[in-house]
Amino acid sequence: DLLFFGSLNERRKAFIHKVEACGIQVTMFDRPLYGPERDAYIRQAKAVLNGHFYTSNRFEQIRASHCLSLGTPVISETSEQQPAGFDQAIFWLDESGFADFFQTFFKSKDFYTQAREKIQTFRIIDPIESYADLVGFASGFVQARLQNNEPEPWRPEKINLGSGKDYRMGWLNIDLLDKAEPDLLLDLGQPVDWPVQSLTRFGTPLQLEKGSVETIDANNVLEHVPNLVMLMSNALALLKEGGTFDIEVPYEKSLTAWQDPTHLRALNENSWIYYIDWFWYLGWFEHRFDMVSLIWLDWQLQPCIKENAAFMKVLLRKVITSDRERNLARAMQANFGGLDDDYPPEHDILFTFEDDGGSQKAPFSENNLH
């Protein structure tokens, strides 16, 4: 008879039980449904039942308008404020006529007649007058923005890398797949010409530059990236000093490592050494990552011991390399860290040596090397 969908609480359960006590069958989704599958259920229902989640009786316009637009009438618990366009399009229930509505009227031909009338009413009513003040404000706001100088670009401090279906409000959602509908299409696994100046999917000016980001989150992304060194280098470049890179990946010895045919690598606790200790192999010099934490997660993403791990969760922090680390990095590179052949000029470096007169300083030169 009736279809109900939505989150359940004690208040809604009591409302549905009261309807069923009148001899009406109420069907609910036994699993989440979206898109065409959900709409098929709505279309075949005699009516959709709407009960308020909160005692404030706030009416959910989106749910009702969707059902009415599909040609299915809506029966709703009464609301203190019946929004324009819905006051005549909904069957409103109050305590006094509750039993009579379901036991008599709902089973009569008159219900179908009125249902068609209410759906037609919904289709022809233009609620613009009820929102005229809001529309006027929005129009004035847009005009004012257009008359002012070009707005400052958004410089995001939080990046959701490989956002996919996990779109996060307030973050810059980056993905290389357009079907994921990210804020920005960008492949950090390729060389990037910084700064990146673009428009987000919603038309907001954006500037993404080196050393500007507080945190990057990559949830099950790194195992898919062909050039992981390039991605890690770009992430290091983007982060501020002290900025963090929050990473979750499948653990090498778990079935999760290779269950996905698009996985390109498996990772373990040693997979971070080159980004932390042996950074000079990657051509890094002034900055590297430091390991803040590494924890193991089970299939339910709960902390566990290593033997039960399905995933690893790693937190890296961008740090400045020490003098000793930079010297080591120079020594391990064929071009000695990019120094010019004529470096250093004699007047820039003092050479400390000892003779019978004690410790002395002199300009660096071949004469005092011995």
Side-chain angles (χ1 to χ4, degrees):
D1 295 325
L2 295 176
L3 172 66
F4 179 89
F5 61 95
S7 301
L8 286 176
N9 63 356
E10 292 305 316
R11 191 178 190 285
R12 277 182 168 169
K13 289 179 182 178
F15 176 68
I16 294 171
H17 179 72
K18 188 175 180 179
V19 174
E20 292 177 327
C22 296
I24 303 300
Q25 180 182 355
V26 180
T27 298
M28 291 176 281
F29 295 154
D30 58 357
R31 63 191 183 281
L33 281 180
Y34 305 96
E37 291 76 17
R38 174 202 56 197
D39 293 350
Y41 270 93
I42 295 174
R43 285 192 177 97
Q44 69 182 351
K46 184 175 179 179
V48 167
L49 182 65
N50 180 71
H52 304 312
F53 192 89
Y54 299 107
T55 56
S56 59
N57 292 344
R58 184 179 297 276
F59 181 68
E60 298 183 26
Q61 299 184 35
I62 295 178
R63 180 199 307 269
S65 63
H66 183 72
C67 296
L68 290 169
S69 69
L70 294 173
T72 301
V74 175
I75 302 171
S76 178
E77 183 182 6
T78 189
S79 179
E80 294 180 3
Q81 291 185 343
Q82 298 175 3
F86 295 95
D87 50 347
Q88 300 299 318
I90 302 291
F91 288 101
W92 298 101
L93 294 176
D94 56 32
E95 291 292 332
S96 60
F98 197 92
D100 185 60
F101 179 91
F102 284 112
Q103 293 175 352
T104 305
F105 176 73
F106 184 66
K107 300 176 181 179
S108 69
K109 293 182 179 179
D110 291 339
F111 172 79
Y112 292 98
T113 300
Q114 290 193 26
R116 285 192 291 269
E117 293 174 353
K118 288 182 178 295
I119 291 171
Q120 183 61 23
T121 297
F122 175 77
R123 288 173 175 169
I124 63 175
I125 287 180
D126 185 357
I128 191 65
E129 291 186 7
S130 301
Y131 301 99
D133 291 342
L134 178 61
V135 172
F137 169 80
S139 177
F141 179 79
V142 170
Q143 291 298 323
R145 288 290 297 270
L146 293 175
Q147 293 172 4
N148 293 334
N149 295 329
E150 189 70 22
E152 283 291 317
W154 178 31
R155 292 178 170 84
E157 294 190 345
K158 298 189 296 183
I159 290 179
N160 181 20
L161 185 59
S163 54
K165 295 179 289 185
D166 182 27
Y167 188 93
R168 301 183 189 179
M169 297 298 293
W171 293 61
L172 175 64
N173 296 272
I174 295 179
D175 205 293
L176 52 79
L177 298 177
D178 187 58
K179 66 180 181 180
E181 299 188 356
D183 298 316
L184 179 66
L185 281 172
L186 181 65
D187 186 358
L188 291 181
Q190 299 292 331
V192 178
D193 186 16
W194 305 106
V196 173
Q197 295 176 316
S198 181
L199 294 176
T200 69
R201 180 174 293 271
F202 303 104
T204 303
L206 167 73
Q207 180 157 319
L208 194 59
E209 53 195 22
K210 290 183 177 181
S212 64
V213 176
E214 290 282 358
T215 184
I216 301 174
D217 189 281
N219 190 336
N220 287 275
V221 174
L222 271 55
E223 64 273 20
H224 298 272
V225 179
N227 191 341
L228 184 55
V229 171
M230 179 61 69
L231 183 140
M232 297 297 289
S233 298
N234 282 326
L236 187 72
L238 275 172
L239 287 168
K240 299 178 180 179
E241 292 175 0
T244 55
F245 194 3
D246 199 351
I247 300 166
E248 183 180 310
V249 291
Y251 178 45
E252 174 190 57
K253 295 184 179 180
S254 169
L255 295 178
T256 57
W258 294 114
Q259 68 182 19
D260 188 334
T262 65
H263 286 183
L264 302 178
R265 65 177 55 79
L267 296 104
N268 58 36
E269 58 268 47
N270 278 14
S271 298
W272 319 104
I273 291 178
Y274 281 78
Y275 312 116
I276 296 169
D277 296 323
W278 300 345
F279 58 92
W280 35 268
Y281 268 117
L282 312 180
W284 297 358
F285 183 71
E286 295 182 350
H287 297 92
R288 62 173 177 85
F289 282 116
D290 186 30
M291 176 77 74
V292 178
S293 64
L294 185 155
I295 61 174
W296 309 101
L297 303 176
D298 61 20
W299 283 89
Q300 286 73 43
L301 301 181
Q302 297 300 311
C304 65
I305 60 175
K306 177 180 174 181
E307 287 71 21
N308 297 336
F311 300 92
M312 280 188 300
K313 192 169 182 61
V314 177
L315 185 63
L316 304 178
R317 178 188 292 120
K318 179 177 179 177
V319 296
I320 303 174
T321 54
S322 66
D323 291 341
R324 180 180 180 278
E325 289 170 334
R326 283 193 292 274
N327 285 334
L328 175 62
R330 289 195 191 282
M332 298 303 294
Q333 296 181 38
N335 64 353
F336 206 58
L339 296 181
D340 296 333
D341 292 338
D342 59 352
Y343 185 88
E346 290 189 5
H347 63 275
D348 281 351
I349 292 184
L350 292 179
F351 179 71
T352 302
F353 62 97
E354 292 187 2
D355 58 13
D356 294 339
S359 179
Q360 301 183 42
K361 292 183 181 292
F364 181 89
S365 68
E366 293 183 4
N367 294 332
N368 57 28
L369 278 178
H370 64 279

